Amino acid sequence: MSRLWITLPCLTLMLLAAGTVRAENEEKFVPLFNGENLDGWVQNGGKAEYTVEDGVIIGTSVPKTPNSFLCTEKKYGNFILEVEYMVDPLLNSGIQIRSNVYDEPKTYKTDEGKEVKVSAGRVHGYQVEIDPSARAWSGGIYDEGRRGWLFNLKDKPEAQKAFKQNEWNKYRIECRGDSIKTWINGVPAADLTDGMTAEGFIALQVHGVGGDEKKVGKQIKWRNVKIIELD
């Protein structure tokens, strides 16, 4: 009986402490989007349309333009980012993290040895994939404008199943030093170790659709975009 009386108070204290830590972390989140306009953001790349309606950022695809990126004016290094999104099943998209814009042309080699040439003004950096296709790699990490796939989800069936078609999905993205981890709707997805870029902006991508009329005018929406900056 005495053990039970000792254990229960200890358990109660542990639960209270855990709740306090969670509450403190929630208080540290800062909105990246004010819910009213795109102050603090700048567009790079293509000419997709970005608008704000009812506290939601809406990206709309337009024909014959490159990938478009709505980028934070501020750069971030170590952080926890949370964002919710809903994507049209015909579109591909992504969340750029630690990303930048080339000030001059560059050439990179992929892991397969293929040379990739990119022009000045091109957005590049880590992208947390948004993939509503049957491949289902949402939450994987792609190196936009540089090396290509760094962590796909072909060996992560639980994460592949976590994406919800035609519904709001939630990402959690943690960057700490050379560690980048992602979760989709609470399910662990990518776990990448890569130290190529330590800091950069965060951006919301509308993928180019070329002249495909079926994909023109399709939308992706983002809401509750918030961040905790880490030491």
Side-chain angles (χ1 to χ4, degrees):
M1 182 64 71
S2 59
R3 289 183 181 180
L4 180 62
W5 282 107
I6 293 172
T7 302
L8 286 177
C10 289
L11 179 60
T12 301
L13 288 172
M14 290 172 64
L15 292 173
L16 288 173
T20 301
V21 170
R22 285 196 296 270
E24 288 176 352
N25 284 339
E26 285 297 324
E27 290 175 1
K28 292 180 182 178
F29 271 108
V30 175
L32 286 181
F33 166 52
N34 63 22
E36 299 178 358
N37 54 49
L38 297 178
D39 288 353
W41 298 78
V42 61
Q43 186 167 344
N44 284 291
K47 304 299 182 182
E49 298 176 358
Y50 291 91
T51 56
V52 175
E53 295 181 19
D54 299 324
V56 175
I57 299 174
I58 301 174
T60 303
S61 62
V62 299
K64 300 177 181 178
T65 191
N67 294 345
S68 303
F69 302 89
L70 185 66
C71 312
T72 59
E73 293 178 346
K74 181 178 177 179
K75 293 186 176 182
Y76 299 89
N78 296 321
F79 58 84
I80 300 172
L81 175 70
E82 291 191 351
V83 56
E84 297 175 15
Y85 68 88
M86 182 188 297
V87 62
D88 187 283
L90 293 180
L91 287 185
N92 178 278
S93 182
I95 309 292
Q96 294 292 137
I97 55 174
R98 290 183 174 176
S99 295
N100 294 277
V101 177
Y102 289 117
D103 55 7
E104 59 184 29
K106 297 281 185 180
T107 300
Y108 285 95
K109 280 190 176 181
T110 66
D111 290 342
E112 293 77 23
K114 180 182 177 181
E115 283 195 349
V116 178
K117 296 182 179 180
V118 291
S119 58
R122 177 78 155 84
V123 168
H124 63 280
Y126 305 110
Q127 179 186 126
V128 182
E129 180 80 358
I130 294 176
D131 178 18
S133 74
R135 182 181 62 176
W137 284 0
S138 290
I141 299 176
Y142 181 85
D143 196 8
E144 177 78 16
R146 294 191 299 196
R147 298 165 292 168
W149 281 103
L150 302 178
F151 196 110
N152 63 48
L153 297 188
K154 63 181 181 181
D155 297 322
K156 303 280 286 189
E158 298 85 0
Q160 289 177 286
K161 295 175 184 177
F163 173 79
K164 301 175 183 177
Q165 199 76 260
N166 294 310
E167 295 183 35
W168 286 101
N169 292 273
K170 182 178 180 179
Y171 277 168
R172 181 181 177 92
I173 303 164
E174 295 188 6
C175 293
R176 304 172 190 265
D178 62 0
S179 171
I180 303 175
K181 297 180 180 181
T182 70
W183 289 258
I184 175 169
N185 297 321
V187 178
D191 187 350
L192 174 70
T193 300
D194 188 272
M196 188 170 191
T197 307
E199 183 182 71
F201 54 69
I202 292 164
L204 311 177
Q205 184 202 53
V206 175
H207 202 283
V209 298
D212 190 341
E213 294 183 359
K214 299 189 302 294
K215 298 181 180 180
V216 173
K218 300 302 182 181
Q219 296 181 330
I220 176 167
K221 303 177 181 180
W222 300 270
R223 69 183 185 186
N224 295 331
V225 188
K226 57 187 180 179
I227 195 167
I228 297 174
E229 292 190 75
L230 305 173
D231 295 332

